[in-house]
Amino acid sequence: MSRTPAVRNTPRAGTYLPGSGPIIVGILNVTPDSFSDGGDFLDPEAAAEHAVAMLDEGAGILDLGGESTRPGSDPISPEEEIRRVAPVLEGILARRPDAVISIDTYRAGTATAALQAGVRLVNDVTALRGDPGMASVVEEAACPVILMHMQGEPKTMQKEPHYDDVVHEVRDFLAQRAEYAAAAGIRPENIIVDPGIGFGKNLEHNLALLRNLDAIVNLGFPVLVGASRKRFIGSITGVQEAKERIFGTVATTVLAYEKGATLFRVHDVRANREALTVAESVLHASRR
Ligand code: HH2
């Protein structure tokens, strides 16, 4: 990353793992083609302002991504990915030096540059399979990593995805990837797992995973759910416009929280934050 901000440039080990309550992970896609917000935040100033707004609305982590992984999307070059995220990262940390930011990338080079610039987590939708150098980058940074399940790859993953038993297959995959990460020296307390809603999954697969999320929670790692505005919500509600799928998204957040998930990767921070606050009060009255 050519422009390294003066603010924090040393990732701190294991500094941001979920402890006592649910965490909203606010989505910041600096891409022209993301499925719901593509093109909205290409201007680094607008992106940084949106990031600050999400923090003010209650996001505990911001997830910054420079490449869309929506169904049918094409990969971009590593240089282009870094070019997109670098100024936004700088802009956020200039405004909020303490912001906890994750980088949504499967490339070791992008993760390294972002960690040097102040990012504190890596969100890898390939669960360390996309780049052979990624595990050692995470290990050396001693930072948390999100390991997500995906069947196939974004270009073709929605063409007739198939499972004999989606819940067991996703759970076993995540267990294996967590073992791989641990064998690479990544501390177990830095591992977060994610069933990868919508990544090589049809409507029934997504619903089965959400319905049986406790099977994944039982692996013993914090679980992140990323259902925000996704197509399966539109299939159920009939809401075609992705940005209008807020209410359906909130339902997934509350249900997933009740099943034990603790991180929620969402576009609409306030709606999900308020719903979680109420859910938390109902389920864990003593906490408040
Ligand atoms: N979903 C998307 C991207 N990254 N990371 C994790 N860990 N979990 C997810 O479910 C997940 C993710 C896709 O959503 P979005 O970023 O909104 O769209 P796009 O990939 O088109 O940028």
Side-chain angles (χ1 to χ4, degrees):
M1 205 166 283
S2 54
R3 289 187 293 164
T4 304
V7 284
R8 183 200 326 107
N9 55 16
T10 331
R12 281 187 274 143
T15 44
Y16 210 89
L17 282 176
S20 57
I23 295 174
I24 294 279
V25 180
I27 301 172
L28 188 56
N29 288 319
V30 194
T31 60
D33 57 341
S34 286
F35 79 94
S36 83
D37 56 357
D40 286 0
F41 307 113
L42 281 179
D43 169 35
E45 290 296 304
E49 288 302 321
H50 181 59
V52 167
M54 288 197 287
L55 291 172
D56 288 345
E57 287 181 351
I61 298 174
L62 299 171
D63 188 37
L64 178 61
E67 177 181 305
S68 171
T69 46
R70 73 181 157 71
S73 61
D74 285 310
I76 57 168
S77 73
E79 295 74 26
E80 173 65 9
E81 187 182 28
I82 292 175
R83 194 192 62 74
R84 287 180 186 174
V85 298
V88 179
L89 194 47
E90 189 174 350
I92 299 169
L93 289 172
R95 287 167 173 80
R96 295 291 171 91
D98 290 331
V100 178
I101 307 174
S102 75
I103 182 75
D104 187 351
T105 187
Y106 55 86
R107 294 192 182 90
T110 305
T112 302
L115 285 160
Q116 281 168 356
V119 151
R120 290 201 242 169
L121 296 81
V122 173
N123 174 20
D124 185 350
V125 297
T126 71
L128 308 177
R129 296 174 301 158
D131 185 329
M134 186 62 115
S136 61
V137 168
V138 172
E139 187 270 326
E140 276 168 36
C143 68
V145 61
I146 299 160
L147 305 176
M148 195 196 81
H149 175 273
M150 167 167 31
Q151 185 181 83
E153 51 191 48
K155 187 78 186 164
T156 51
M157 66 189 177
Q158 289 309 102
K159 288 189 182 146
E160 299 185 21
H162 173 80
Y163 301 83
D164 290 327
D165 182 334
V166 66
V167 176
H168 286 102
E169 287 172 48
V170 170
R171 186 198 59 194
D172 290 352
F173 170 90
L174 292 173
Q176 282 163 15
R177 297 316 295 166
E179 262 178 45
Y180 170 88
I186 296 170
R187 294 207 311 263
E189 61 268 33
N190 274 339
I191 295 172
I192 297 164
V193 296
D194 176 350
I197 298 297
F199 282 84
K201 283 138 195 135
N202 63 26
L203 172 62
E204 291 310 320
H205 299 144
N206 289 322
L207 294 180
L209 284 166
L210 289 170
R211 192 178 304 124
N212 297 287
L213 205 59
D214 39 342
I216 291 166
V217 170
N218 286 341
L219 289 172
F221 301 102
V223 173
L224 181 146
V225 170
S228 187
R229 298 182 181 174
K230 283 185 179 169
R231 191 182 305 170
F232 81 100
I233 293 175
S235 313
I236 299 167
T237 59
V239 177
Q240 293 308 312
E241 183 60 48
K243 282 182 182 163
E244 291 174 12
R245 295 178 187 150
I246 302 175
F247 307 112
T249 300
V250 166
T252 66
T253 295
V254 171
L255 289 166
Y257 176 60
E258 202 269 339
K259 293 259 179 212
T262 44
L263 295 107
F264 305 89
R265 184 181 179 279
V266 298
H267 302 84
D268 304 290
V269 170
R270 183 179 160 201
N272 286 282
R273 173 80 263 164
E274 286 187 8
L276 274 175
T277 304
V278 173
E280 208 187 352
S281 298
V282 172
L283 294 171
H284 307 286
S286 58
R287 275 211 194 123
R288 305 206 67 79

